[in-house]
Structure formats: structure tokens, C-alpha cells
Amino acid sequence: MARVAPARHVVAVVAFDDVQLLDVTGPVEVFTTANAYGAAYDVRLVSLTGRDVRTSAGVRIGVDGTPADLPGRIGTLVVPGRETTAFGPADDALIGAVTELSGRADRVASVCAGSFVLAEAGLLEGRRAATHWQLAAELAARFPRVAVETDPLFVRDGRIITSAGVTAGIDLALALIEEDHGAGPARDVARKLVVFMARPGGQSQFSVRLAPERHLDPALRRVLDAVTADPAADHPLASLAAEAGLSTRHLRRLFREKVGTTPGRFVESVRVEAARALLEAGDDTVEQVARQAGFGSSESLRRAFQNTLGVPPTTYRARFRTTGHRSRPVRE
């Protein structure tokens, strides 16, 4: 009996001027590479005009046509992002096209700031979502009905999958290949491209030291400044509220609306950031770092690192040492 070829799964990638280059090429490379391992992805790049687009890197990308050239049914719609998250009348056609295409797609995925396009199209209402860690607070503030998660490399809520920073589009595409074809082909693709099958830790491990925004409410800024200035100090909710001159309830609400987290979680993240800096720059033991950062014990520090970054402190130190740092034994 003749072997029946697998049905083609159309992956439609919407490209537009100033799109982030790797937002597009990362997932495209993953899906097309999977075809060598038994998949049948028909990857098509489209632009609103059908003309080539100029990416944020200045590289031009050719496209296969317009959204009208796509088949009636799409397996996966991929929406990449761009540097600016502001949308004006000139973007109405893009939002409209994504809205229309999403109704024809079995699943919809965004890469990095592409989550803002999905949010503008109303596709993230009442859903959990991820985006680049630098944009998470903005996404939460502009779209309060979106439950923004700041650490995962990607988040799936129903048929909508949103991913974090640009390279997270590769993680997302690998996960979709595993969903479609199993772990074997996904692992083969990861090996071929020399990337993690499942990257250890979330995107928090790539963030920078917390710096409160200058436009925040003055009372809230006083609290954020007090915590970041002395992470090792005791920071119970009542003390933070007294520092702000607010009730504990009001302070909780301000944190949720303006910072996107709770006071307790903010304190822990500042302490994690302080511990990261100490681990990167010095050679103190994990126990000493834990005390200096306000965790009290190495066990508390390990638990916070595992929960927040997905790796223990010693692994983090080994991974994020600068290449010029003199190698020394890691002391517990």
C-alpha cells in the first residue's frame, strides 16, 4: 500500500515593517526544520500589502502574499512583535487582519511584543498571557483584563499561546512541535539547531536589577525605594503601608495596578535580584549571600531561586559569571 503523505499544517506568520527579525525567523526556522523529521508544516509569511517588509534590524524579508492568499483554514497563526507597543490609526489594518485570521486558526501564538497586537485585537481578554519581562507591567496596565505572567517563557490559555522575549519564540515553536508530533521530533529539531529542548528557568533569570519607574505614585515610589535601598531589612506589609502613609488594603491595590504583583512578592524579587548581583560579583558562600540579601538562610535563598529562576544559586552563579572572571571553586 502506498504511503499516505501527512496533511499539511499551515503556519501563517504575519510580517510588517519594523517587526523584530528574530521574532519571525526563530519560529520559521524551527517549523521548517521539523519537516526533515516527519512534520508537514507549510510555513507562509504574509504582509498586509503582499510586499516585502523591512525588519527592525534593517533586513528585508520576502513574503508569500497577503492574508487573502492563505487557505480558509490555518493550523497556527504566529504574530511577532516590534519595538514600539503604541498603536494608532495606521495599525488598524494590522489589528483587523490578525482578528480575522485568528478566527480561521486552530491556535494563535505571539512572540515577544506580539502579545500587544493580540491584546489590541481582544484575543487576550480574560486570559493568562506572557510577554517580554520589560513589557509585562505595561501590558498589565494597558489591558487590565489580561492576567500577565512575568516569568514563563510562554503561556498557553486555550488556543492562545503567548511567549516572552524574542528567542522565546523558538521555545514556543518547539513546544508546539512536541504537541503535534511528540517529544522525539521536537528533540531532533532542538539538537539540529543546538538549542535547549526545554530551557532551564524562566525569563526572570535574564532580567536586570529592579529599578522603580519614575512616573509612579509618590507614595508607592517611597515604598519601592525603601525596599530596593535595603533588601535585607525587615519589610512587613504594615511597615510598608506606614512608609507610604496608606492603608494596607490601598497599598496592595496600588501594587497590583502599578507594579503587577503583591508587596510580599516584590520584596522577594528585590532580594533575589540582590542575591544575583552578589553571586555574580563575589565569592561569598551561598549562606553569606542569603543573609546579605535578606533571606536569612541558604535554604530560603535556594527555594526562592528555584521558584523564581528555576535554578539553584550555585547553578546560577556558574551560568552567569562573566567570561573574564577568574575561576574559583564555588563554596556553599
Side-chain angles (χ1 to χ4, degrees), residues 137 140 212 216-217 219-225 227 235 237 240-241 244 246-270:
L216 291 176
D217 177 280
L220 181 57
R221 271 206 37 78
R222 286 198 301 273
V223 173
L224 301 184
D225 286 344
V227 174
H235 295 294
L237 179 60
L240 296 179
L246 303 171
S247 68
T248 56
R249 182 178 179 182
H250 189 186
L251 183 62
R252 280 198 195 97
R253 188 173 76 251
L254 272 181
F255 260 88
R256 179 60 64 188
E257 292 174 354
K258 303 297 184 182
V259 185
T261 188
T262 65
R265 286 178 181 169
F266 176 77
V267 171
E268 181 176 78
S269 21
V270 170

Side-chain angles (χ1 to χ4, degrees), residues 23-303:
D23 282 15
V24 175
T25 57
V28 166
E29 190 70 31
V30 172
F31 282 118
T32 55
T33 300
N35 288 340
Y37 300 101
Y41 294 111
D42 180 3
V43 181
R44 305 194 193 183
L45 272 65
V46 297
S47 69
L48 299 184
T49 63
R51 294 192 294 269
D52 297 354
V53 300
R54 189 176 182 83
T55 68
S56 60
V59 177
R60 286 195 173 276
I61 295 180
V63 301
D64 300 304
T66 70
D69 296 315
L70 293 170
R73 199 67 205 161
I74 301 167
T76 304
L77 174 65
V78 178
V79 180
R82 64 186 183 190
E83 286 289 341
T84 177
T85 58
F87 294 90
D91 298 303
D92 289 348
L94 171 62
I95 303 303
V98 169
T99 303
E100 192 274 330
L101 289 173
S102 69
R104 295 157 51 190
D106 295 332
R107 62 193 179 200
V108 180
S110 69
V111 183
C112 197
S115 57
F116 284 80
V117 181
L118 298 192
E120 287 283 346
L123 297 174
L124 299 185
E125 286 285 301
R127 294 185 185 273
R128 296 161 48 247
T131 192
H132 192 287
W133 60 268
Q134 287 181 314
L135 303 174
E138 181 186 351
L139 184 65
R142 283 175 52 184
F143 303 96
R145 284 184 47 75
V146 179
V148 180
E149 299 194 7
T150 57
D151 186 51
L153 293 172
F154 57 88
V155 169
R156 178 159 197 160
D157 192 328
R159 69 186 187 97
I160 309 294
I161 313 101
T162 48
S163 65
V166 286
T167 58
I170 294 172
D171 300 89
L172 179 149
L174 284 169
L176 296 182
I177 289 169
E178 182 175 8
E179 178 181 303
D180 294 340
H181 300 285
R187 191 176 298 110
D188 289 336
V189 173
R191 286 173 178 158
K192 173 74 172 179
L193 299 180
V194 198
V195 295
F196 284 114
M197 168 70 168
R199 198 187 321 191
Q203 62 171 331
S204 292
Q205 62 184 307
F206 303 104
S207 67
V208 296
R209 189 167 177 78
L210 294 168
E213 295 291 335
R214 296 294 162 186
H215 64 268
L216 291 176
D217 177 280
L220 181 57
R221 271 206 37 78
R222 286 198 301 273
V223 173
L224 301 184
D225 286 344
V227 174
T228 55
D230 190 4
D234 192 19
H235 295 294
L237 179 60
S239 296
L240 296 179
E243 178 74 35
L246 303 171
S247 68
T248 56
R249 182 178 179 182
H250 189 186
L251 183 62
R252 280 198 195 97
R253 188 173 76 251
L254 272 181
F255 260 88
R256 179 60 64 188
E257 292 174 354
K258 303 297 184 182
V259 185
T261 188
T262 65
R265 286 178 181 169
F266 176 77
V267 171
E268 181 176 78
S269 21
V270 170
R271 287 173 175 165
V272 167
E273 294 284 353
R276 286 168 53 181
L278 290 166
L279 289 167
E280 290 168 11
D283 290 289
D284 288 339
T285 66
V286 170
E287 189 68 44
Q288 290 169 326
V289 168
R291 288 197 301 270
Q292 293 171 52
F295 284 101
S297 72
S298 58
E299 182 53 40
S300 296
L301 176 62
R302 287 190 188 95
R303 189 162 51 248

Side-chain angles (χ1 to χ4, degrees), residues 312-323:
T314 50
T315 301
Y316 178 87
R317 169 177 266 166
R319 184 178 299 166
F320 286 93
R321 286 282 198 187
T322 63
T323 55

